[in-house]
Amino acid sequence: MKTFSATPADIDKKWIIIDAEGVVLGRLASIIATRLRGKHKPSFTPSMDMGDNVIVINADKIQLTGKKRDDKIYYWHTGHPGGIKQRTARQIIEGQYPERVLTKAVQRMLPGNRLSRKLMTNLRVYAGTEHGHEAQSPEVLDVKAMNSKNSRGA
């Protein structure tokens, strides 16, 4: 038997849409990372962009379990001496760009290489319900129905 290795002609990319309202952050990010990478397909090839294009709506209504909303801290550095900054997950979700929490969670579940940076361009995250991708006729992926642990009440 020969090992199958996909070529660009073999790749079939779909558009999927996910509603993040009431869904647990880590579980959703794991599902999105798998879809972006293409590991859900039987023809998965590690060195190719096999994944689907993913649209996430209602990212501002994402749920975090336990006390993570207040205790989870995101750090960054300005590049200047003493320039370490921090924000809690609550501050980011209630701030101007709440979709960054989900984007960072997905980005950190992918390997840190050139292919992952290419895969991240296939992810579109929106804080509200409006998105400009109706022309691609995306398929709905119901993450809440996959497992009862995926969703949580507010």
Side-chain angles (χ1 to χ4, degrees):
M1 286 201 44
K2 292 255 186 187
T3 302
F4 176 78
S5 185
T7 60
D10 299 330
I11 296 173
D12 179 34
K13 296 174 84 64
K14 294 180 182 174
W15 284 79
I16 61 170
I17 187 166
I18 299 172
D19 188 3
E21 185 173 358
V23 181
V24 177
L25 172 66
R27 289 175 168 269
L28 178 62
S30 172
I31 291 166
I32 292 171
T34 302
R35 291 286 175 154
L36 284 175
R37 190 91 198 272
K39 293 186 108 176
H40 64 289
K41 297 181 179 179
S43 61
F44 173 67
T45 304
S47 62
M48 299 295 292
D49 179 7
M50 304 271 314
D52 298 332
N53 291 291
V54 180
I55 305 162
V56 182
I57 57 173
N58 291 324
D60 56 343
K61 296 180 179 82
I62 198 100
Q63 294 296 319
L64 280 85
T65 59
K67 298 193 296 181
K68 291 188 198 108
R69 194 171 285 265
D70 294 314
D71 291 350
K72 186 172 178 60
I73 298 174
Y74 291 87
Y75 293 99
W76 73 96
H77 199 284
T78 62
H80 295 287
I84 191 86
K85 304 277 186 176
Q86 69 181 27
R87 280 210 183 106
T88 63
R90 178 179 298 280
Q91 290 172 322
I92 296 172
I93 290 171
E94 293 174 355
Q96 189 175 6
Y97 303 106
E99 60 273 3
R100 286 187 182 165
V101 173
L102 181 60
T103 306
K104 276 295 183 192
V106 172
Q107 179 184 357
R108 290 169 178 169
M109 287 188 183
L110 294 171
N113 56 21
R114 284 177 287 180
L115 181 60
S116 294
R117 291 189 289 276
K118 168 85 170 68
L119 295 175
M120 284 301 291
T121 63
N122 296 332
L123 174 66
R124 281 100 173 158
V125 184
Y126 298 99
T129 57
E130 298 298 318
H131 64 88
H133 304 286
E134 286 86 9
Q136 283 76 24
S137 60
E139 300 174 11
V140 176
L141 181 67
D142 191 8
V143 176
K144 288 182 183 179
M146 288 180 175
N147 189 336
S148 61
K149 294 179 181 179
N150 287 353
S151 63
R152 174 169 285 233

